[in-house]
Amino acid sequence: MNWKKVLRYIIILLPWFISAIIFRTDNNYYMSLKLPSYAPNPIVFGIVWPILYILISYSIYKVYDYSDRGYKINFWINYISNQLYTFFFFTIKSPVLALIDTLVVLATSILAFIQTRKIDSKYSYYLIPYILWNIFATILSVSIYIMN
């Protein structure tokens, strides 16, 4: 096993968990909102996001050295927006800011797929679950905003 490669992957993966450490997820707040019937139980988020972070990180790990400046800027915007969601929704309890942030995450995740596909299409497929989840998250955010 090449420990340098493993360490590099871990360095790419770990920052995705920062918001979970810095910003407390207030499940009571989430459950106190008017939620659509398809809103998942809070435990689902704790299962889905780590899986997505693993997939996103692997895609980045495989193509980052071959990427251009546009790819890197997009992924930083995506990363920062992704991290800010917890702050917007759970810390300052603003469904409208969370919705706007979700739209940014969705747009940049789609762009990331397109950019990654240009570099190496097989690693772009690791981003498809992220895009699908972001579509769902956007629909959920719109519904929460409208219902509350």
Side-chain angles (χ1 to χ4, degrees):
M1 180 181 296
N2 185 329
W3 290 104
K4 287 183 181 180
K5 288 183 177 182
V6 171
L7 181 61
R8 182 172 182 215
Y9 175 73
I10 290 170
I11 289 170
I12 293 169
L13 174 63
L14 288 180
W16 288 94
F17 294 93
I18 287 175
S19 69
I21 296 166
I22 295 174
F23 308 118
R24 184 170 93 59
T25 301
D26 186 350
N27 289 331
N28 290 329
Y29 169 68
Y30 175 74
M31 296 306 291
S32 74
L33 296 169
K34 293 176 188 165
L35 299 171
S37 61
Y38 57 86
N41 185 291
I43 194 141
V44 172
F45 297 104
I47 295 167
V48 170
W49 278 111
I51 294 168
L52 294 175
Y53 292 154
I54 289 166
L55 295 172
I56 296 162
S57 297
Y58 188 69
S59 177
I60 294 169
Y61 169 78
K62 295 306 274 183
V63 303
Y64 196 82
D65 289 341
Y66 309 102
S67 64
D68 61 14
R69 188 170 186 262
Y71 171 94
K72 292 171 182 168
I73 290 170
N74 182 64
F75 252 114
W76 278 108
I77 293 169
N78 179 272
Y79 167 76
I80 291 166
S81 297
N82 187 298
Q83 297 301 297
L84 285 173
Y85 179 85
T86 305
F87 173 74
F88 291 143
F89 191 79
F90 292 106
T91 302
I92 64 172
K93 297 176 174 52
S94 175
V96 68
L97 289 177
L99 171 58
I100 292 166
D101 184 70
T102 302
L103 293 169
V104 172
V105 173
L106 175 60
T108 56
S109 65
I110 292 169
L111 183 56
F113 173 82
I114 293 166
Q115 292 171 322
T116 302
R117 189 177 177 115
K118 289 178 183 176
I119 299 167
D120 192 327
S121 63
K122 69 181 171 186
Y123 299 114
S124 67
Y125 296 119
Y126 288 87
L127 300 175
I128 291 174
Y130 185 43
I131 293 168
L132 294 174
W133 184 258
N134 284 322
I135 291 168
F136 172 74
T138 301
I139 294 166
L140 181 61
S141 289
V142 167
S143 297
I144 289 172
Y145 174 71
I146 290 170
M147 293 173 73
N148 292 278

